[in-house]
Amino acid sequence: MLNDVLFAGPARKQARESQQDNVAATFYQFGYHASFNVWTYNTDGQEGAVDIGDVLKSISCISGACNVSELPFVFNKALKLDGSAVIVSTKDQALMDRMSRLWFSNELFNDYQYNNDSVLVFDEDGVETFIQDWDSKQPGLDPELRNGRLQGLEDLNLILGYM
């Protein structure tokens, strides 16, 4: 739910507002589970103290993608967020090559433009699909969220502004 309220919901709302203003936008969901974690907990501080924030961010990525885990793929750089190099799998490298070419081409806006809740999805296996009416296919258990989690949260005024 935190991801929906803090990240996915505001991004979807921004994409919809861009569409209404006739500004090209693409909305994507990155769920790929890479062979490496982009976060590293810091032990280089004074007295080797562990930064608990970095530890929590690192742990949150263990089960799959987390905030900013797409960045090495977008920029085709096998680096963690602290700049340290990582060894990537063949599958990781193939997705890095594909995403970096896509992100810096007209294809991203020509073929994957946000329109009525269409979302470019990279699933946990790195499979790329373009899903129409995406949110309605993301139902929640709560009756308020059964027509789509993000729309339900937005209707309840629980979506934060775009950061």
Side-chain angles (χ1 to χ4, degrees), residues 79-121:
L79 301 173
K80 292 185 173 204
L81 294 177
D82 67 359
S84 60
V86 293
I87 297 172
V88 298
S89 70
T90 303
K91 190 175 178 182
D92 292 342
Q93 189 61 59
L95 186 57
M96 290 170 120
D97 293 344
R98 168 66 183 139
M99 283 186 69
S100 64
R101 281 191 307 272
L102 177 62
W103 247 246
F104 298 100
S105 73
N106 289 331
E107 180 185 1
L108 183 64
F109 291 104
N110 293 339
D111 298 346
Y112 300 104
Q113 189 172 37
Y114 182 84
N115 187 5
N116 299 319
D117 220 17
S118 52
V119 176
L120 175 58
V121 175

Side-chain angles (χ1 to χ4, degrees), residues 1-151:
M1 184 164 166
L2 282 176
N3 180 59
D4 289 347
V5 171
L6 295 173
F7 301 108
R12 177 179 174 260
K13 190 174 176 182
Q14 183 69 38
R16 191 174 58 248
E17 289 171 2
S18 295
Q19 176 192 2
Q20 292 167 350
D21 293 338
N22 293 318
V23 175
T26 298
F27 182 41
Y28 69 94
Q29 177 188 32
F30 186 80
Y32 178 64
H33 193 185
S35 65
F36 62 95
N37 186 338
V38 297
W39 293 98
T40 303
Y41 58 88
N42 178 13
T43 58
D44 295 332
Q46 280 188 340
E47 301 169 20
V50 174
D51 182 314
I52 192 66
D54 286 347
V55 170
L56 293 174
K57 291 172 194 172
S58 184
I59 291 171
S60 72
C61 299
I62 290 173
S63 64
C66 59
N67 186 37
V68 305
S69 61
E70 77 277 16
L71 293 180
F73 295 86
V74 169
F75 295 105
N76 204 357
K77 297 288 184 185
L79 301 173
K80 292 185 173 204
L81 294 177
D82 67 359
S84 60
V86 293
I87 297 172
V88 298
S89 70
T90 303
K91 190 175 178 182
D92 292 342
Q93 189 61 59
L95 186 57
M96 290 170 120
D97 293 344
R98 168 66 183 139
M99 283 186 69
S100 64
R101 281 191 307 272
L102 177 62
W103 247 246
F104 298 100
S105 73
N106 289 331
E107 180 185 1
L108 183 64
F109 291 104
N110 293 339
D111 298 346
Y112 300 104
Q113 189 172 37
Y114 182 84
N115 187 5
N116 299 319
D117 220 17
S118 52
V119 176
L120 175 58
V121 175
F122 295 90
D123 73 11
E124 62 275 356
D125 295 318
V127 176
E128 172 186 334
T129 54
F130 192 54
I131 300 175
Q132 301 294 325
D133 201 23
W134 173 80
D135 188 49
S136 69
K137 295 175 176 95
Q138 312 293 318
L141 297 176
D142 188 286
E144 298 288 338
L145 308 179
R146 289 200 179 131
N147 293 324
R149 286 192 333 253
L150 299 182
Q151 188 60 52

